[in-house]
Amino acid sequence: MNQPQMPPSGHPRPPKQAMSTGKKFGLGCGGLFLMLFLLGGCVAVLSGGSTDNSAPSSQADSDTEEDSTETSEEEEAAEEEPEEESEIVLTAETREFNPSILHDSGAYTSVFVTVENNSDEDIDINPLYFSIVADDGTKKDTSGGLGMDEDQIDTLTLSPGQRAEGTVTVEGDITPASVEFGGPLGLGEAHTVDIQ
C-alpha cells in the first residue's frame, strides 16, 4: 500500500498561497455587477418598460409622431363608443359611527361602503384598502379607525358576482366627501366614489 509522502520532520509545510488582491477585487466587482443586473431586471419587470431601444433616434422621433396620431384617432373612437360597465362598483353613504368594544374615547367618522365585483377575477377586500377624502380635500387613511366601528367591512376575497358591505372608519370628526378603494399599499387600481 502506498502512503502519502509526508515532508521530512523538521521541515515545515509550505504555506498556502492566499488569494491575490486582484482576484478579491475581481470577485467583489463581479458580485456587485450581478446584484446591479438583478436589481435592474426587477425594476424593468415592475415598471413594465420595454428593453428594445435599438431604433435610431430619427426613426424613434418619426415613430413617436405616428404613435401620437394613432393615439388621437383611438381617443376619438373611444369617445364615440359607449363606456363599458366598471369591473368594480363602489358605493358610499354617510353613516353614524357605531363604537365597537375596542373604542374607549375619541372622535371617529364612519362611511358605509358597498363593493361589487363585476370582473372575471377575485378581488381582495380589506378595511385598510380604503381612504376617506374630507370636504376640504384632506385624504385620511383608515388605519387609525381600524376596529373602532362595530359594523366594519370584513377582510375577505370577493369572487366574480359577489358583493361586500360594511363601514370604513377614520380617526377624527370630519365631513366626508368621497371614498377611495385600491389595493394593498396603494398598488391596485384606485376607484373613487362620491358619498351620497
Side-chain angles (χ1 to χ4, degrees):
M1 251 176 119
N2 290 338
Q3 293 183 348
Q5 285 187 331
M6 300 294 277
S9 61
H11 288 70
R13 285 191 144 167
K16 285 187 173 182
Q17 289 187 351
M19 188 181 295
S20 70
T21 304
K23 286 182 182 178
K24 290 178 186 176
F25 181 75
L27 286 174
C29 288
L32 179 63
F33 177 74
L34 180 62
M35 287 179 56
L36 289 175
F37 179 74
L38 291 174
L39 180 65
C42 291
V43 168
V45 167
L46 291 175
S47 68
S50 172
T51 57
D52 183 21
N53 294 329
S54 58
S57 61
S58 60
Q59 183 179 351
D61 292 342
S62 64
D63 288 346
T64 304
E65 291 174 8
E66 291 174 10
D67 290 345
S68 64
T69 304
E70 291 174 6
T71 303
S72 63
E73 290 173 1
E74 290 172 0
E75 289 173 356
E76 290 174 8
E79 289 175 4
E80 293 172 4
E81 295 176 8
E83 290 186 25
E84 294 181 17
E85 187 175 324
S86 176
E87 293 184 347
I88 296 177
V89 177
L90 178 66
T91 61
E93 58 186 66
T94 57
R95 174 68 58 96
E96 189 173 323
F97 174 65
N98 183 13
S100 72
I101 60 171
L102 298 177
H103 177 260
D104 58 0
S105 65
Y108 291 88
T109 302
S110 292
V111 174
F112 186 79
V113 295
T114 303
V115 182
E116 187 174 334
N117 182 2
N118 290 334
S119 72
D120 297 331
E121 299 177 1
D122 291 346
I123 296 172
D124 292 326
I125 303 295
N126 188 312
L128 294 174
Y129 297 174
F130 293 87
S131 57
I132 298 176
V133 180
D135 61 350
D136 65 359
T138 306
K139 183 176 176 179
K140 299 190 83 160
D141 66 46
T142 55
S143 62
L146 194 62
M148 293 295 134
D149 194 299
E150 185 70 32
D151 303 317
Q152 176 176 288
I153 194 165
D154 291 328
T155 299
L156 54 95
T157 299
L158 282 182
S159 297
Q162 290 184 327
R163 61 186 277 172
E165 55 185 35
T167 60
V168 292
T169 306
V170 295
E171 192 172 6
D173 186 13
I174 65 169
T175 304
S178 62
V179 172
E180 290 183 8
F181 170 72
L185 303 174
L187 297 176
E189 180 183 350
H191 300 274
T192 305
V193 65
D194 290 337
I195 295 174
Q196 300 174 354

